[in-house]
Amino acid sequence: VGSVAFHGTLQFRHQMYDEVPMLWTVLLVLYCLLEHHDVSTHYGLPLQLALAAYAALATWATSQQDGNAQWVSFHAAFGVVEFPCLYLVAQFFRSLDESEARLRTLLRRGFVSVLRLGDRLVVDGPELLRNSEALAGL
């Protein structure tokens, strides 16, 4: 909903509805990746408190600025968590044994699909943008 509100209106307050849930989601993914090894928690309450504090700080930093400062603060806050997540997903993938072949295949296909989509956007993005601008002018 937040993403649609922001990308449909391009208003700052709707941008927060898009970006803040992204920050919280990537923190939840990081928590899951760090704690997935055992049934019981490994890091426990200290990790939960640290991630909650980071979420509060990143939310405040992102929502209290505008313009370029807001853009930088969101991408920095998101990137600080996203890159460890990417590393941990790669580690998780490498740790899968042959009995989990279906999961390995699913993860590999998902990763390849993301790469292909990114490639299409880079290669065809300018042309798609020109076509959409031409259609909008009709």
Side-chain angles (χ1 to χ4, degrees), residues 105-117:
T105 300
L106 179 65
L107 288 170
R108 185 177 290 121
R109 286 181 181 168
F111 181 71
V112 169
S113 297
V114 168
L115 289 178
R116 286 183 179 166
L117 175 62

Side-chain angles (χ1 to χ4, degrees), residues 35-50:
E35 294 284 14
H36 83 279
H37 298 291
D38 296 315
V39 175
S40 62
T41 60
H42 180 72
Y43 299 102
L45 187 60
L47 176 63
Q48 295 167 9
L49 291 174

Side-chain angles (χ1 to χ4, degrees), residues 53-125:
Y54 187 82
L57 179 65
T59 299
W60 177 81
T62 299
S63 64
Q64 298 303 310
Q65 301 177 37
D66 59 0
N68 290 337
Q70 186 278 329
W71 188 91
V72 169
S73 67
F74 166 72
H75 286 86
F78 189 80
V80 163
V81 181
E82 180 183 21
F83 289 114
C85 282
L86 292 172
Y87 173 77
L88 291 169
V89 167
Q91 292 297 102
F92 173 73
F93 181 78
R94 286 188 201 109
S95 72
L96 296 174
D97 60 28
E98 294 305 318
S99 69
E100 299 168 306
R102 291 182 65 198
L103 182 56
R104 289 180 73 93
T105 300
L106 179 65
L107 288 170
R108 185 177 290 121
R109 286 181 181 168
F111 181 71
V112 169
S113 297
V114 168
L115 289 178
R116 286 183 179 166
L117 175 62
D119 179 59
R120 299 304 300 170
L121 290 174
V122 168
V123 172
D124 295 336

Side-chain angles (χ1 to χ4, degrees), residues 19-55:
E19 293 178 352
V20 170
M22 290 171 61
L23 286 169
W24 294 350
T25 301
V26 76
L27 286 165
L28 180 61
V29 169
L30 180 61
Y31 176 78
C32 292
L33 288 167
L34 290 170
E35 294 284 14
H36 83 279
H37 298 291
D38 296 315
V39 175
S40 62
T41 60
H42 180 72
Y43 299 102
L45 187 60
L47 176 63
Q48 295 167 9
L49 291 174
L51 293 177
Y54 187 82

